[in-house]
Amino acid sequence: MKLENKVIVVTGAGSGIGAASAKLMASSGARVIAVDIDLKKAEETVAEIKKLGGKATARQVDVTQFKEVEDLVKQVVKEYGSIDVMVNNAGIGGKNQNKTAEHTLEDWHNVIAVNQTGVFYCMKAALQQMMLQGVGNIINIASLAGLKPSGNNLSYSASKFAVVGMTKSAALEYGRKNIRINAVCPGYTHSSLLDQLLASRPDMVERLKQMIPMGRFGEATEVAETVAWLASDSSKYITGQTITIDGGTSLH
Ligand SMILES: NC(=O)c1ccc[n+]([C@@H]2O[C@H](COP(=O)([O-])OP(=O)(O)OC[C@H]3O[C@@H](n4cnc5c(N)ncnc54)[C@H](O)[C@@H]3O)[C@@H](O)[C@H]2O)c1
């Protein structure tokens, strides 16, 4: 995958899919800005990238704060001259796995703020810059839960259906401006998000594996491969799409 010198911002780059994507793209020549609410974790990703000879810097940003997102874009442009690719990956799962009547207001507000409003803020700020550049590429990390009902996690499902909708709506608006916008929809993928959920509900492990035609959970590096491909010019005629990486789970 050729990403030579592309300036790529990855949110939630301190862990899981974001960290794997940041590392893979840096190893393909990109200059990566690893963004996370947890600066220490973003710095760990950057240290691993640098150890392998890649280029990266870490930034602490909470994607639920528009001012922080705007400042991030300004700083990156000041330092690097452009933002070629924005990967909107930061996301949370919510604390409770309950039916809708018991879904907590806390989970609703927190999950929507990060997964939905955060993606909107990052798209808005990146698009303003990409319009000035006359070119751009946005990759939103949605989920299988944004394509199919999953149950017992209404805010997560709502937020991910929203990410798919925002991706398609914005792709329609910006195609003629030479800006591509796609979504990646991972199925059950090993990361702190999934592993914490499974640790709290060990009964779910075998039940979920039964639902996956390939019989195993995905790896963050497998999602990263698709993110890197979408970031590259190899996918340059693709926009407004959702690409599902789920070992066949969506076939049910
Ligand atoms: N792991 C899965 O099975 C799976 C499946 C489908 C979709 N996804 C999606 O993939 C994305 C990455 O998830 P993951 O599994 O790698 O999770 P993860 O918990 O390993 O990583 C998420 C990262 O986002 C950061 N983050 C959280 N809130 C933030 C905020 N407000 N601002 C900036 N950074 C913030 C966290 O600190 C963390 O480093 C999420 O959008 C998630 O919904 C994951």
Side-chain angles (χ1 to χ4, degrees), residues 132-177:
L132 296 175
Q133 297 168 187
V135 62
N137 184 351
I138 294 176
I139 303 162
N140 294 326
I141 310 302
S143 172
L144 187 55
L147 299 172
K148 292 183 65 158
S150 40
N152 296 336
N153 206 344
L154 191 79
S155 51
Y156 190 76
S157 175
S159 70
K160 294 301 184 178
F161 268 84
V163 171
V164 170
M166 292 192 291
T167 301
K168 288 178 183 281
S169 292
L172 202 60
E173 294 169 352
Y174 289 96
R176 282 193 167 73
K177 302 291 182 192

Side-chain angles (χ1 to χ4, degrees), residues 162-230:
V163 171
V164 170
M166 292 192 291
T167 301
K168 288 178 183 281
S169 292
L172 202 60
E173 294 169 352
Y174 289 96
R176 282 193 167 73
K177 302 291 182 192
N178 206 19
I179 301 170
R180 305 195 286 126
I181 306 160
N182 290 290
V184 170
C185 296
Y188 301 104
T189 309
H190 279 301
S191 72
S192 63
L193 193 149
L194 180 71
D195 296 344
Q196 271 167 30
L197 170 70
L198 296 181
S200 67
R201 294 281 310 276
D203 57 299
M204 281 173 73
V205 175
E206 280 315 309
R207 198 156 47 82
L208 288 180
K209 278 191 185 165
Q210 290 296 324
M211 289 164 51
I212 307 171
M214 290 185 76
R216 65 169 177 87
F217 297 121
E219 299 297 332
T221 49
E222 292 171 319
V223 179
E225 292 283 351
T226 300
V227 172
W229 174 72
L230 281 172

Side-chain angles (χ1 to χ4, degrees), residues 74-129:
K74 279 187 201 143
Q75 273 177 20
V76 171
V77 173
K78 199 169 160 202
E79 205 168 313
Y80 295 86
S82 66
I83 295 185
D84 300 315
V85 185
M86 180 93 192
V87 182
N88 297 320
N89 162 81
I92 58 172
K95 287 191 189 133
N96 301 296
Q97 302 289 311
N98 294 324
K99 289 195 172 47
T100 301
E102 286 79 42
H103 199 69
T104 65
L105 299 187
E106 188 194 7
D107 262 358
W108 176 266
H109 290 301
N110 289 342
V111 171
I112 296 295
V114 179
N115 295 10
Q116 181 172 342
T117 308
V119 170
F120 163 59
Y121 286 172
C122 290
M123 286 174 70
K124 180 175 166 64
L127 282 165
Q128 287 173 358
Q129 171 57 26

Side-chain angles (χ1 to χ4, degrees), residues 1-6 8 20-32 49 52-55 224-225 227-229 231-232:
M1 208 72 63
K2 275 202 200 138
L3 294 171
E4 215 57 51
N5 285 325
K6 279 192 194 290
I8 303 185
S21 301
K23 287 185 238 173
L24 180 62
M25 294 191 290
S27 74
S28 305
R31 290 176 287 170
V32 169
I49 289 173
L52 296 168
K55 295 175 205 135
E225 292 283 351
V227 172
W229 174 72
S232 78

